[in-house]
Amino acid sequence: MKKKIFLLEDDIILNETISEYLSENDYEVVSMFDGYEAYTHLYENSYDLILLDVNVPSLNGFELLKNLRNHNILVPAIFLTSLNSMDDFEKGYKSGCDDYIRKPFELKELLLRIKTIIKNGYFHNINERIEIDTGIFYDVNNNTLYKNDEKIVLNHKECLLLKFFLQKQNTLISHEEIHQALWDYDEVFSDNSLRTYIKNLRKIFGKDRIISVKKFGYRFTSK
């Protein structure tokens, strides 16, 4: 299944150029030109990564991303902007981005950054700790889960699965998407292992938080 990328860029030619290049490199791309329209769309739809220009009509990229983060939408984000001052750079990261690329840039550089972020399962949050449920927090910086201030040990793939669920809360996620997120290309996907990871996470969050959809996948529901 292709990774889904959302692009907000009000320069029509650059929008088309980036969209075509990423499509040629096997990504599914949805693009828009208006900040508020993009915000409404992103609030209702799930992506693997978003690319945001800053100076766009109606709602600038910094405010758009900040609003998304405040609503616990943690999908990775890269700013593509001609703003190149240190203040703008700082503002971008404070609003919740994972990377910041100054225009003009090479398309190959953008592609490499996209691949790195998606492969490593990055997501950003303006807070260091994400409250998943009452008394349950995920420490973004240390990839550590806490329940009532006690550290809960997760194995590597359980940690990757939790991060993936947090990125895509309330979204139906297929087995194939989970396969791509947790297993490297040279690893053999295991349904039994996945069921074990799900079982262990349910012990922490409760069965009703991770809903199984027969023959398709899972949905991690928000509290």
Side-chain angles (χ1 to χ4, degrees):
M1 183 178 292
K2 292 183 178 181
K3 295 294 185 181
K4 294 177 63 179
I5 293 179
F6 178 85
L7 169 64
L8 172 63
E9 171 58 68
D10 68 337
D11 182 311
I12 296 175
I13 295 176
L14 183 58
N15 188 308
E16 291 178 351
T17 299
I18 294 173
S19 296
E20 289 176 5
Y21 180 76
L22 294 179
S23 296
E24 290 170 357
N25 281 276
D26 209 29
Y27 291 96
E28 180 181 340
V29 183
V30 172
S31 68
M32 292 184 179
F33 305 90
D34 178 87
Y36 186 76
E37 181 183 3
Y39 173 70
T40 302
H41 179 82
L42 289 167
Y43 190 76
E44 298 173 348
N45 296 273
S46 176
Y47 288 88
D48 295 290
L49 185 138
I50 56 179
L51 304 173
L52 301 172
D53 188 11
V54 176
N55 291 326
V56 293
S58 75
L59 182 67
N60 74 56
F62 290 152
E63 291 301 316
L64 188 159
L65 186 58
K66 186 177 179 180
N67 290 339
L68 291 177
R69 298 307 189 218
N70 285 335
H71 284 90
N72 213 31
I73 297 174
L74 308 176
V75 58
I78 301 175
F79 280 122
L80 313 175
T81 178
S82 57
L83 299 176
N84 57 17
S85 74
M86 184 54 65
D87 286 343
D88 292 319
F89 187 77
E90 183 178 13
K91 187 181 295 184
Y93 277 98
K94 283 185 175 179
S95 66
C97 79
D98 298 87
D99 206 346
Y100 189 106
I101 302 179
R102 296 179 174 92
K103 297 177 182 177
F105 54 83
E106 296 288 337
L107 290 172
K108 187 173 182 180
E109 177 190 359
L110 174 61
L111 180 62
L112 290 172
R113 296 200 190 199
I114 288 171
K115 286 182 175 180
T116 298
I117 286 178
I118 290 179
K119 175 178 173 53
N120 288 284
Y122 291 176
F123 66 95
H124 201 286
N125 190 55
I126 59 174
N127 300 309
E128 292 182 353
R129 300 179 108 197
I130 302 169
E131 184 179 7
I132 301 174
D133 209 332
T134 303
I136 303 178
F137 296 88
Y138 184 73
D139 188 311
V140 174
N141 293 332
N142 298 314
N143 291 326
T144 304
L145 184 66
Y146 293 91
K147 185 173 184 179
N148 298 324
D149 293 325
E150 292 186 9
K151 182 177 178 180
I152 298 177
V153 178
L154 300 176
N155 69 34
H156 177 62
K157 281 190 167 47
E158 287 170 350
C159 189
L160 290 177
L161 180 58
L162 175 58
K163 290 171 69 175
F164 194 53
F165 278 151
L166 291 174
Q167 287 178 351
K168 296 177 174 288
Q169 291 186 68
N170 302 312
T171 300
L172 184 57
I173 307 171
S174 70
H175 290 105
E176 183 177 354
E177 288 178 284
I178 296 174
H179 176 190
Q180 292 179 355
L182 270 66
W183 277 266
D184 290 333
Y185 71 93
D186 57 347
E187 292 182 309
V188 178
F189 173 69
S190 169
D191 279 319
N192 288 335
S193 295
L194 177 58
R195 283 193 287 268
T196 298
Y197 305 149
I198 295 291
K199 180 180 178 180
N200 290 339
L201 291 181
R202 280 174 168 164
K203 288 179 181 178
I204 300 168
F205 304 110
K207 188 174 182 179
D208 58 333
R209 294 293 300 277
I210 304 176
I211 299 171
S212 176
V213 179
K214 190 174 182 180
K215 295 183 179 180
F216 186 86
Y218 298 91
R219 180 187 288 111
F220 187 86
T221 61
S222 58
K223 63 175 182 174

